[in-house]
Amino acid sequence: MAKHTSNPSHNALPQGSGGETQQRGGCPLTTNHGVPISDNQNSLKLGTRGPTLLEDFVLREKIFHFDHERIPERIVHARGTGVHGYFECTQPIPELTKASLFQKKGERIPVFCRFSTVAGSKGSKDTPRDVRGFAVKLYTNEGNWDLVGNNMPVFFIQDAMKFPDLIHAVKPEADRGFPQAASAHDTFWDFVSLMPESTHTVMWLMSDRALPRSFRTMEGFGVHTFILVNEKDETHFVKFHWKPKQGLQSTLWDEAVKISGADPDYLRRDMYEAIQAGHFPEWELGIQVFDKEWADQQPYDVLDATKIIPEEDIPVKVIGRMVLDRYPDNFFAETEQVAFLPTNVVPGIDFSNDPLLQGRLFSYLDTQKSRLGTTNFHQIPVNAPKCPMHNFQRDGMMQTHVFKGRATYEPNSLDEVGEETGPRASEQGFTTVARHDIEPAEKLRVRAEAFADHFSQSRLFYRSQTPVEQAHIIAGFVFELSKVQLDHVRLRMLGQLLNVDKELAQAVADGLGLDLPAPIPAAKEPFDMPPSDALSILKRGGAVAGRCVGILVSDGADKKAVQQLQQALDKAKVMYKVVAEKVGGVTLNDGSHLKADEKIDGAPSVLFDAVALILTPEEAKRLAKLKPVQDFVSDAYNHCKAIAHSDGGLALLKNQQLQPDAFTVDINDAQALVSKVSERLWERVPQS
Ligand code: HDD
């Protein structure tokens, strides 16, 4: 006989399951319908060893619910991490927009921000070469404004018509189901080499921008041109930028590859750990504002999402800041169920005619129904506006509101018999601004002539980079095209690159061991634009606070050196992890015990911005024979990172034939390490 346990007291039952989400310790376990459960270990059987009974509603409900726990993953941007925070207006702009969030200096509103990769599935790694999504839901007091952007200011295509083709090309190849989360394969390069308009974004994709060190060290861009509308219904064009206070930083390709093995969750863990440690990432919201007259004079079309507006031409004006300070309580409820919609705009913000944006306005609402299963997805807490919401939309799957009364239509006169009439549209509500710049035209399925120049800005991007960054772009092309198996695709891509920059094309051809083909005729001859420093990561650099140092210690390590380093890092708000041969830790030279955070082979140096090697010479000699220790040291060095070392640490470097230099500093000069945490000594390794 199954052992019977006594039922918990019925008096302790929670008040219905609807809003009860707090799992209090010791509260009674119940079914979804509130029936107390006495045994959560055994199914109901006939006898002790007999078959399980169909009437076991406790078992069936539990398994039934489990069977349906997954929902379809996002068709793109499936892998992501979300964070709560706030937006604060720092520079009101009532002259430009009536949007409520930009009216009062110091006013804060809540936000939810989701960072993502694009191509990979939900369970893929965090560090592929890919664009990163940067989607922000701003809960204003006039409704939700979703700025659904990326970490690159341009996009692969000019018209939404091509989006399914682009995504089919980059996703795992249809017949074989691989490669996962990678653009380095035939179909992606076949597509982009046939689509010259993709070249500019492909340049960004081959650059270090596609390998961010952290979501915290990325810029965000609204990409499209939007429209700001003020109280007088005057309009201005605008582009939105998120500028990280942490500065910009990326990883090397070799690092990214190794990180994906050591910690596929690297970027989300980084965000989680930074927030837990109180290093709240912060971005400034900036705008580039311009009018139609200015736009008409540019050699590109501001409605073309494959183009930037150089910051030297229209400087970015900072109007606010966003701070992310709270990790979600529940990944599924919040990060997975959050639904971003470019159609979520508020009074004062309107859409431009960018054909990519116009297509997006349909796609996102549509996809939420298939992903979240109901038109009532706006009632999920993370999606619900935080201001009042009233309308006559009713019913539908998973309706959670209990509407009262019979006013479900408008107009109605139910107030004449004392009943509620329901909400009314008001003049202060959203109005699509009248645009006088759109001339009456024929219906045409065409691409505007002004969208035809695909290479001038690709060239601008390449020529704005430092030589180190250019070398990384070349290496990116060589790696990716080496994975392409179709010779004609490689050659076609080289033909496109010739339109960007001859030296770039030659270097890529050399890296592939191929002769340069003839250039592919450009639809419009590219021209040279003045380089823009804003496009380079290295010309702008990063900040020290919030970085992470790996401290490799051995038995007998000098306690004073360890403590001094820890104090200097704490003072500079730099995180650190103690790494040792065994996770139990080490005994320091004063006999005290230092617990390790990580075992050496679980925390290779690719996970850190800089490292410290605090070992005794004897232990260094012994540990130098271990492969993970060798890799820890040589990777830190070859990835150009700062290394602080004790005498034993120096012996480890020499053991690996690594020459001391300006970025190998004595452990007693902790400040020297701190000052170099966000930099790399590129001269260490030839960049070609
Ligand atoms: Fe998109 C998701 C960003 C073009 C269709 N997109 C999605 C997300 C981001 C972007 C950040 C993830 C949101 C989240 O975290 O839940 N997408 C962009 C940017 C684009 C862009 C910056 C160009 C400037 N997207 C684009 C086009 C289409 C879509 C042209 C279709 C015509 N995007 C979608 C989608 C997704 C999506 C299929 C998948 C999941 C979702 O919407 O909610 O509808």
Side-chain angles (χ1 to χ4, degrees):
M1 286 286 285
K3 189 169 169 263
H4 289 263
T5 51
S6 60
N7 278 352
S9 153
H10 284 224
N11 295 335
L13 277 176
Q15 287 290 305
S17 61
E20 185 73 23
T21 50
Q22 188 74 31
Q23 300 291 327
R24 292 195 312 271
C27 68
L29 182 75
T30 72
T31 66
N32 284 337
H33 303 276
V35 177
I37 294 172
S38 61
D39 182 346
N40 193 30
Q41 317 301 325
N42 302 295
S43 53
L44 185 67
K45 303 173 198 73
L46 192 63
T48 53
R49 302 176 65 235
T52 301
L53 299 178
L54 192 58
E55 75 166 62
D56 187 353
F57 63 90
V58 178
L59 171 74
R60 279 197 294 123
E61 181 197 79
K62 187 173 177 181
I63 301 289
F64 157 78
H65 197 274
F66 172 76
D67 287 345
H68 299 274
E69 275 178 10
R70 298 289 170 268
I71 60 172
E73 67 173 33
R74 289 167 174 82
I75 174 79
V76 282
H77 296 266
R79 181 165 181 83
T81 197
V83 196
H84 293 276
Y86 61 86
F87 172 80
E88 181 182 316
C89 174
T90 54
Q91 181 67 55
I93 44 166
E95 69 285 6
L96 293 173
T97 175
K98 57 186 166 190
S100 64
L101 76 163
F102 298 129
Q103 301 308 310
K104 211 165 150 203
K105 189 170 175 168
E107 195 162 276
R108 291 183 180 183
I109 55 162
V111 302
F112 188 80
C113 186
R114 184 173 179 272
F115 303 101
S116 49
T117 55
V118 179
S121 289
K122 208 180 138 204
S124 58
K125 61 192 179 189
D126 272 355
T127 50
R129 179 180 290 283
D130 200 355
V131 179
R132 297 300 187 285
F134 193 124
V136 188
K137 190 179 282 292
L138 298 111
Y139 303 93
T140 87
N141 55 23
E142 284 185 314
N144 292 349
W145 174 38
D146 293 358
L147 188 54
V148 195
N150 280 339
N151 75 330
M152 299 182 191
V154 283
F155 202 66
F156 295 95
I157 47 170
Q158 297 172 322
D159 192 308
M161 188 70 150
K162 296 310 297 168
F163 191 69
D165 300 283
L166 167 72
I167 300 307
H168 288 172
V170 74
K171 282 275 183 180
E173 296 192 6
D175 53 355
R176 57 209 74 174
F178 61 84
Q180 177 58 248
S183 51
H185 58 114
D186 285 352
T187 54
F188 175 74
W189 287 97
D190 187 22
F191 179 79
V192 295
S193 64
L194 287 166
M195 297 284 293
E197 71 198 53
S198 299
T199 313
H200 188 193
T201 305
V202 167
M203 295 298 299
W204 285 76
L205 185 67
M206 292 304 107
S207 81
D208 297 345
R209 297 271 178 162
L211 305 171
R213 145 72 180 90
S214 163
F215 290 134
R216 298 178 290 135
T217 57
M218 299 188 320
E219 280 179 292
F221 301 91
V223 181
H224 311 282
T225 294
F226 289 88
I227 292 174
L228 294 178
V229 188
N230 68 13
E231 282 294 354
K232 295 185 211 150
D233 268 0
E234 292 162 341
T235 60
H236 288 85
F237 285 130
V238 64
K239 285 208 181 240
F240 294 103
H241 297 244
W242 295 106
K243 301 263 181 205
K245 287 283 228 190
Q246 299 71 235
L248 298 181
Q249 173 105 44
S250 287
T251 63
L252 291 163
W253 173 244
D254 183 63
E255 254 181 304
V257 169
K258 288 173 175 162
I259 291 171
S260 70
D263 186 1
D265 305 309
Y266 183 63
L267 294 183
R268 67 174 61 179
R269 191 189 309 280
D270 168 86
M271 181 63 83
Y272 179 81
E273 289 181 349
I275 287 187
Q276 296 305 102
H279 299 301
F280 302 141
E282 182 172 336
W283 285 261
E284 286 176 334
L285 178 66
I287 49 174
Q288 284 179 298
V289 181
F290 51 99
D291 55 25
K292 186 175 175 311
E293 286 63 44
W294 184 88
D296 287 346
Q297 288 159 20
Q298 303 315 305
Y300 49 86
D301 197 319
V302 298
L303 301 183
D304 173 357
T306 68
K307 305 294 187 295
I308 59 160
I309 295 178
E311 293 184 27
E312 287 75 9
D313 293 354
I314 302 270
V316 175
K317 173 187 159 92
V318 174
I319 55 170
R321 67 187 194 114
M322 173 173 76
V323 178
L324 300 180
D325 59 1
R326 184 165 67 83
Y327 216 71
D329 292 320
N330 186 285
F331 185 87
F332 180 83
E334 301 175 89
T335 305
E336 194 59 10
Q337 294 198 111
V338 67
F340 290 93
L341 307 165
T343 32
N344 276 357
V345 288
V346 293
I349 300 174
D350 212 332
F351 314 115
S352 73
N353 293 339
D354 173 343
L356 193 70
L357 173 61
Q358 293 284 325
R360 292 180 75 192
L361 301 181
F362 162 70
S363 184
Y364 290 68
L365 183 62
D366 185 52
T367 207
Q368 307 311 345
K369 165 71 180 68
S370 100
R371 201 167 68 77
L372 298 166
T374 166
T375 51
N376 288 320
F377 69 86
H378 61 278
Q379 295 179 15
I380 295 169
V382 71
N383 296 326
K386 296 193 192 297
C387 60
M389 185 219 104
H390 305 286
N391 58 38
F392 295 101
Q393 293 169 33
R394 289 292 183 274
D395 308 345
M397 277 183 175
M398 304 298 295
Q399 177 59 258
T400 60
H401 292 326
V402 182
F403 295 105
K404 299 208 169 113
R406 51 181 174 159
T408 55
Y409 57 95
E410 191 265 352
N412 70 62
S413 61
L414 296 171
D415 51 339
E416 291 189 20
V417 287
E419 295 181 28
E420 285 296 335
T421 54
R424 289 278 184 276
S426 88
E427 279 181 9
Q428 279 73 49
F430 183 88
T431 47
T432 293
V433 70
R435 300 289 310 283
H436 305 295
D437 56 326
I438 307 168
E439 286 152 22
E442 297 167 306
K443 289 184 194 169
L444 296 171
R445 199 181 278 281
V446 294
R447 191 73 56 94
E449 180 61 29
F451 283 33
D453 173 12
H454 307 310
F455 299 110
S456 300
Q457 291 208 354
S458 312
R459 180 180 295 173
L460 163 69
F461 180 75
Y462 185 67
R463 295 192 182 166
S464 300
Q465 307 299 314
T466 62
V468 170
E469 289 166 307
Q470 288 184 339
H472 293 172
I473 292 173
I474 294 165
F477 274 111
V478 171
F479 177 88
E480 297 260 321
L481 292 173
S482 299
K483 291 280 179 188
V484 168
Q485 290 171 350
L486 304 174
D487 291 338
H488 71 281
V489 169
R490 284 186 189 141
L491 290 173
R492 195 196 295 132
M493 197 61 221
L494 287 173
Q496 301 285 20
L497 287 184
L498 273 167
N499 289 317
V500 178
D501 184 283
K502 288 203 175 56
E503 283 175 22
L504 163 69
Q506 187 63 61
V508 176
D510 290 348
L512 292 168
L514 295 176
D515 291 332
L516 269 180
I520 294 177
K524 195 167 176 194
E525 201 48 39
F527 63 95
D528 292 343
M529 297 173 74
S532 163
D533 285 353
L535 300 178
S536 155
I537 291 178
L538 294 183
K539 286 180 194 163
R540 295 166 60 191
V544 164
R547 298 310 179 93
C548 191
V549 171
I551 309 177
L552 178 63
V553 290
S554 73
D555 278 334
D558 182 20
K559 177 162 182 170
K560 211 172 113 219
V562 174
Q563 275 185 338
Q564 271 175 3
L565 177 63
Q566 290 175 330
Q567 281 162 7
L569 294 174
D570 283 338
K571 197 164 160 224
K573 297 196 165 71
V574 175
M575 300 182 279
Y576 54 80
K577 285 187 182 168
V578 174
V579 183
E581 184 187 7
K582 295 180 183 167
V583 79
V586 294
T587 306
L588 298 174
N589 62 348
D590 68 341
S592 65
H593 182 74
L594 179 65
K595 196 170 170 294
D597 298 303
E598 295 280 0
K599 174 168 159 24
I600 179 76
D601 44 0
S605 59
V606 289
L607 302 183
F608 305 109
D609 294 285
V611 299
L613 310 172
I614 315 183
L615 308 96
T616 62
E618 303 74 43
E619 278 294 279
K621 207 166 161 194
R622 186 179 68 78
L623 292 169
K625 298 191 186 102
L626 304 182
K627 183 75 170 58
V629 174
Q630 294 167 5
D631 290 348
F632 191 92
V633 176
S634 63
D635 274 348
Y637 191 91
N638 290 321
H639 296 147
C640 310
K641 294 175 181 174
I643 302 174
H645 57 78
S646 65
D647 289 349
L650 187 60
L652 264 189
L653 284 169
K654 293 198 169 151
N655 180 281
Q656 298 283 303
Q657 324 292 331
L658 304 170
Q659 292 308 314
D661 57 27
F663 266 47
T664 55
V665 300
D666 192 279
I667 193 64
N668 294 313
D669 189 1
Q671 211 42 49
L673 182 75
V674 169
S675 68
K676 295 175 169 51
V677 155
S678 62
E679 289 174 39
R680 308 263 178 132
L681 185 67
W682 298 110
E683 296 83 53
R684 254 188 211 161
V685 180
Q687 296 295 320
S688 58

